[in-house]
Amino acid sequence: EASGELVGMVELGILPCPVPLSRRPPPETPYLVNLAVAKGHRRQGLARALVQACEEQARGVWGYEEIFLHVKVSNRRAQRLYTRQGYLCELREPNLYQLKSGESRVRVNPR
């Protein structure tokens, strides 16, 4: 917070990790989700600090050695953030598009 204003947030929970697909049943793993930093406070290291806080919670408090997360293919800034912090892409999921008719179509992301 800056002057009582919320400028960033992240959620960390424990869920079954779906990747790699060879691990079945999927193990319970920390899941980082909904990382956000207010526009006026970006590029100051806040997102990196939030990710590091999640890593400290997962490793130091809960005793886990890995975290999983999802990033939209279109979110290049988030991809750079996680890549710079050592995260690897293990799976690209298809995009679902909702058509006006109510049907869903799948578009597979190129590697």
Side-chain angles (χ1 to χ4, degrees), residues 8-14 30-36 50 54 62 67-69 82:
M9 65 157 284
V10 66
E11 295 179 61
L12 183 68
I14 307 286
Y31 178 51
L32 188 155
V33 63
N34 294 331
L35 173 64
L50 288 169
C54 289
W62 296 343
I67 292 176
F68 81 99
L69 51 91
Y82 296 122

Side-chain angles (χ1 to χ4, degrees), residues 8 12 28 43 56-57 62-63 67 70 80-81 93 96 99 102 108 111:
L12 183 68
E28 298 277 309
R43 312 233 10 111
E56 290 169 11
Q57 176 71 28
W62 296 343
I67 292 176
H70 288 96
R80 269 194 311 274
L81 168 71
E93 295 183 288
L96 294 176
L99 303 176
V108 177
R111 292 224 173 231

Side-chain angles (χ1 to χ4, degrees), residues 57-109:
Q57 176 71 28
R59 184 177 295 118
V61 178
W62 296 343
Y64 288 90
E65 290 300 318
E66 63 183 8
I67 292 176
F68 81 99
L69 51 91
H70 288 96
V71 178
K72 289 182 179 180
V73 172
S74 61
N75 192 342
R76 301 286 186 209
R77 287 183 180 169
Q79 289 176 26
R80 269 194 311 274
L81 168 71
Y82 296 122
T83 299
R84 287 178 178 162
Q85 291 199 226
Y87 288 81
L88 303 172
C89 179
E90 292 193 8
L91 176 70
R92 287 192 184 220
E93 295 183 288
N95 287 332
L96 294 176
Y97 290 92
Q98 192 72 31
L99 303 176
K100 288 182 182 178
S101 66
E103 296 177 49
S104 293
R105 286 221 177 124
V106 176
R107 188 185 107 206
V108 177
N109 296 321

Side-chain angles (χ1 to χ4, degrees), residues 15-30:
L15 295 173
C17 180
V19 293
L21 299 174
S22 61
R23 292 193 303 189
R24 292 293 175 251
E28 298 277 309
T29 306

